[in-house]
Amino acid sequence: MRGWWQEISGLVLPAACGGCGSPRTALCERCAAALLDARARRVRPAPEPAGLPVVYAAAEYEDAVRAVLLAHKERGALGLAGVLGQALAGAVRAVAGVPRDGPLLLVPVPSARKAVRARGHDAARRIALAAAGELRRTGTDARVAAVLRQRRAVLDQSGLSAPQRLANLTGALEVSAGGDRLLEGGRVVLVDDLMTTGASLVEAARAVAAAGAATVPGTVGDVSAYAVGGCAQRSAAAAVVASTPASFEINRN
């Protein structure tokens, strides 16, 4: 009900830019440009946790980009999912290229069930659906495979150090029953709205591999190769809308 009301209210109530607060627009041109005009780049947190997939991000998590992500996730500005999906689609293209052996399968990293209930929507899944639509619109076969779920409760990540976040999330995710079949025959890209320490993506990659992905020796380009159900895939890859500025800077040296 809350999600429905957020959708309707966005159509009838006066809008303010989710990035800067300018009146009479859900997102001004300047704030949209902060999300969409930069080239997606590889990001690495410091310290970089073991098991982190190759990750590309569309924008730095600061200023207008930070405000837009928070408006969508925490304040129910659901109309921003479209532009966030466009940004995520750019990061997906950068890390995955154009698949030649099946569709791109976007696997969103799930939030805690309690957080989803409190917000009234699943932000990562909503953005993933928008990204898949944008990819299809531009000629790439892309689908959302929301196969990950939490198998146990976790603590609120805010306030935890990077090692504490890893410990908090290790073993917390699993692929739902039958989800492994949905991953067959396509190239998996883990997707999320934000990467900070990388702990969530490490756990998501582990859970996908544990569902039946067998490691294949060697890599394809910069992305590790594996097989699901006997079908070779290049999958240890992830894309996010934004990451911390420092995770971009580490790649400039």
Side-chain angles (χ1 to χ4, degrees), residues 15 29-30 33 36 42 102 112 148 155 167 188 220 223 239:
E29 291 184 4
R30 181 177 179 181
L36 301 176
R42 187 171 180 182
L148 289 175
L155 300 174
V188 175
V220 183
V223 181

Side-chain angles (χ1 to χ4, degrees), residues 93-186:
R93 291 189 195 99
V95 74
V98 178
R100 297 179 177 86
D101 51 357
L104 282 179
L105 302 174
L106 308 189
V107 178
V109 177
S111 297
R113 288 186 289 269
K114 182 178 180 181
V116 172
R117 287 194 300 270
R119 294 169 183 149
H121 72 120
D122 186 330
R125 184 171 182 174
R126 185 178 292 271
I127 295 172
L129 288 167
E134 173 68 13
L135 289 165
R136 289 193 299 271
R137 187 185 67 79
T138 54
T140 298
D141 185 6
R143 310 168 193 172
V144 174
V147 298
L148 289 175
R149 67 178 185 183
Q150 287 201 327
R151 61 186 298 184
R152 62 169 176 80
V154 297
L155 300 174
D156 185 347
Q157 293 279 85
S158 61
L160 298 182
S161 66
Q164 288 171 331
R165 289 187 177 206
L166 276 173
N168 182 41
L169 291 177
T170 298
L173 297 180
E174 65 181 359
V175 171
S176 58
D180 54 335
R181 293 193 295 274
L182 296 177
L183 301 180
E184 294 178 3

Side-chain angles (χ1 to χ4, degrees), residues 9-83:
S9 63
L11 298 176
V12 299
L13 297 180
C17 174
C20 64
S22 298
R24 295 186 296 279
T25 178
L27 189 68
C28 72
E29 291 184 4
R30 181 177 179 181
C31 293
L35 272 168
L36 301 176
D37 284 2
R39 178 177 60 87
R41 289 177 287 161
R42 187 171 180 182
V43 287
R44 294 183 175 98
E48 183 174 353
L52 182 70
V54 173
V55 186
Y56 273 67
E60 296 184 6
Y61 185 62
E62 60 180 359
D63 302 331
V65 172
R66 180 178 183 274
V68 171
L69 279 169
L70 289 175
H72 175 259
K73 177 185 280 187
E74 305 293 350
R75 298 197 296 278
L78 304 183
L80 295 173
V83 70

